[in-house]
Amino acid sequence: MGVNRISRRVIKINKSESSFKASVFEHLENRALLSTAAPVITSFTADNRGQVILHFSQKMDIHTIGRGSVHILGVGADGQINTADDAALTISMELSADGKTLIATAPVAADANYRVKLSGSIIKGINGINLDGEFNASGNSGNGVAGGDFQFRAKRSTGITTHPLAIIRTTEGDMLVQLRADAAPNTVANFKHYADLGSNNGYDGTIIHRNNVAEFTAPAVPPYTFLGAGQYLSTGTQITQLGSPPTVERSTLHNNRGTIATATGPISSNNTNLEPSGFIFNITQNNEIDPNNGIRGTSQVGATAFGTIISSLDPLLKAFKLPTTAFTGGSTSFKGAPSITEFDGSKIRVTLTRVAMLDRVVSLT
């Protein structure tokens, strides 16, 4: 199961029986160089809110990918999945510029069961050969014969509760995070609470609002090297607490490089706090902000680490190296929000486009 950076340049698919639109025109391929093998699915992820990311072995024919060949189905009136009563959901799709990554998204309630079907009799590679799609629990899809459907069921990871996985998708790339519910169960539950809310006062659409190094122009001591995220939209609107998220506890995990953490109190000399929704990405070793580590007073309890990025850190490091500009979130002003300046002078903030828990995937049989 892999997580790759998806190019910002994508082909958005709006396909029906009567019309087809694509936003990118491609030059004709040199057919002599095309593979003679059937395309297969090399890796994929499915999150607990209905987004599936699939990676293909070769460039796919966009004209064969649409609502007639890609399906996400939820439970019907019988309350069961994988029955004749399953309900087809409206989906949106994006194909990456290289034609090898498909993102399909359906409106699925957090933790609801759903199933996915890609029709191998319709979907083809750019070489004109049909998808070899039979589901395999590990390794590539297929059985060596083109035309088989790729089908699986996504279900809540009830049996893997101590080390659940989450995906953090950003404008700089995607990151896979292993959460530590065994050591910080309340903090992981707090993170899941906001991830499950999506764009309804959850993490989706929030930005990285703070490069902590850029906040200090002449610090008395080297500032802790982290990025703050999960609190504000790019408009400056602060997400508000809905429901009753669990209280963050103090864990024994360390704020190592590549971990994520949530504040249990002040974590900077200027007493800057994170709201319960907010979290930090540790760019370097920041063990001095471990809760009650004996280095700092118990009144400054620091940040509880609760997960480790287990994919590439490149998206995080790219965000950290971006120029920073001033940003006002809620009633707080920040000097160090990473941003990209457009030609018209407008600022594009590094955005968490989607944060979700990953589901287990199982065969339909």
Side-chain angles (χ1 to χ4, degrees):
M1 182 166 59
V3 177
N4 297 330
R5 184 175 190 272
I6 308 302
S7 170
R8 289 179 183 168
R9 177 173 172 267
V10 296
I11 302 171
K12 293 189 176 181
I13 300 169
N14 177 17
K15 186 174 181 182
S16 65
E17 293 183 358
S18 60
S19 65
F20 173 80
K21 295 180 181 179
S23 60
V24 177
F25 291 96
E26 303 280 352
H27 292 292
L28 292 176
E29 298 279 350
N30 182 348
R31 298 282 173 172
L33 299 178
L34 296 179
S35 170
T36 58
V40 297
I41 294 170
T42 57
S43 63
F44 66 99
T45 58
D47 75 29
N48 73 328
R49 293 192 287 116
Q51 184 170 91
V52 180
I53 304 176
L54 304 114
H55 302 289
F56 297 93
S57 60
Q58 58 181 266
K59 184 174 183 178
M60 304 304 290
D61 182 355
I62 188 176
H63 299 280
T64 67
I65 295 176
R67 294 193 179 100
S69 59
V70 180
H71 311 274
I72 299 179
L73 302 98
V75 297
D78 64 3
Q80 304 295 318
I81 197 68
N82 196 27
T83 69
D85 193 45
D86 289 353
L89 303 175
T90 300
I91 62 176
S92 62
M93 286 175 280
E94 293 182 351
L95 187 66
S96 61
D98 65 4
K100 293 183 177 182
T101 300
L102 175 67
I103 303 171
T105 308
V108 174
D111 294 332
N113 290 333
Y114 63 95
R115 66 181 175 96
V116 176
K117 177 182 178 181
L118 274 66
S119 298
S121 61
I122 300 175
I123 297 174
K124 296 180 180 181
I126 199 69
N127 60 3
I129 301 176
N130 287 84
L131 174 70
D132 186 3
E134 280 81 5
F135 176 84
N136 290 314
S138 61
N140 295 344
S141 69
N143 62 358
V145 180
D149 295 339
F150 180 76
Q151 301 188 74
F152 68 85
R153 173 185 172 186
K155 58 186 299 185
R156 185 178 179 182
S157 300
T158 53
I160 321 174
T161 55
T162 57
H163 292 79
L165 297 176
I167 186 168
I168 299 178
R169 306 196 63 216
T170 80
T171 47
E172 296 304 306
D174 302 341
M175 292 170 283
L176 188 63
V177 182
Q178 185 173 66
L179 303 176
R180 292 292 305 276
D182 58 327
N186 289 347
T187 310
V188 169
N190 179 73
F191 176 87
K192 183 181 185 301
H193 171 85
Y194 288 101
D196 285 352
L197 290 174
S199 58
N200 181 26
N201 279 298
Y203 289 137
D204 291 7
T206 59
I207 66 167
I208 293 178
H209 63 273
R210 179 187 180 100
N211 179 325
N212 199 54
V213 173
E215 288 294 315
F216 295 85
T217 54
V221 295
Y224 307 119
T225 310
F226 63 76
L227 296 174
Q231 288 183 239
Y232 305 102
L233 303 177
S234 60
T235 57
T237 301
Q238 184 171 356
I239 66 173
T240 56
Q241 179 174 309
L242 294 178
S244 301
T247 302
V248 174
E249 75 268 70
R250 306 174 189 181
S251 81
T252 57
L253 300 176
H254 297 296
N255 282 271
N256 294 330
R257 182 176 187 266
T259 58
I260 61 175
T262 293
T264 57
I267 56 176
S268 300
S269 58
N270 63 351
N271 287 332
T272 298
N273 280 310
L274 287 173
E275 295 296 323
S277 67
F279 60 92
I280 65 173
F281 295 100
N282 284 303
I283 306 297
T284 60
Q285 206 84 354
N286 289 320
N287 292 165
E288 287 192 4
I289 61 174
D290 291 349
N292 295 330
N293 60 8
I295 299 175
R296 311 172 76 238
T298 55
S299 62
Q300 293 181 307
V301 291
T304 288
F306 64 94
T308 301
I309 298 169
I310 59 175
S311 58
S312 172
L313 294 182
D314 284 353
L316 190 60
L317 299 178
K318 288 176 183 177
F320 183 73
K321 292 175 182 178
L322 284 174
T324 58
T325 56
F327 172 76
T328 299
S331 59
T332 306
S333 295
F334 301 93
K335 293 183 290 186
S339 63
I340 300 171
T341 303
E342 293 287 75
F343 291 111
D344 62 1
S346 61
K347 308 296 182 186
I348 297 179
R349 307 294 181 183
V350 179
T351 303
L352 310 186
T353 56
R354 189 177 180 93
V355 180
M357 308 297 290
L358 288 189
D359 272 347
R360 286 193 303 137
V361 293
V362 296
S363 171
L364 295 183
T365 57

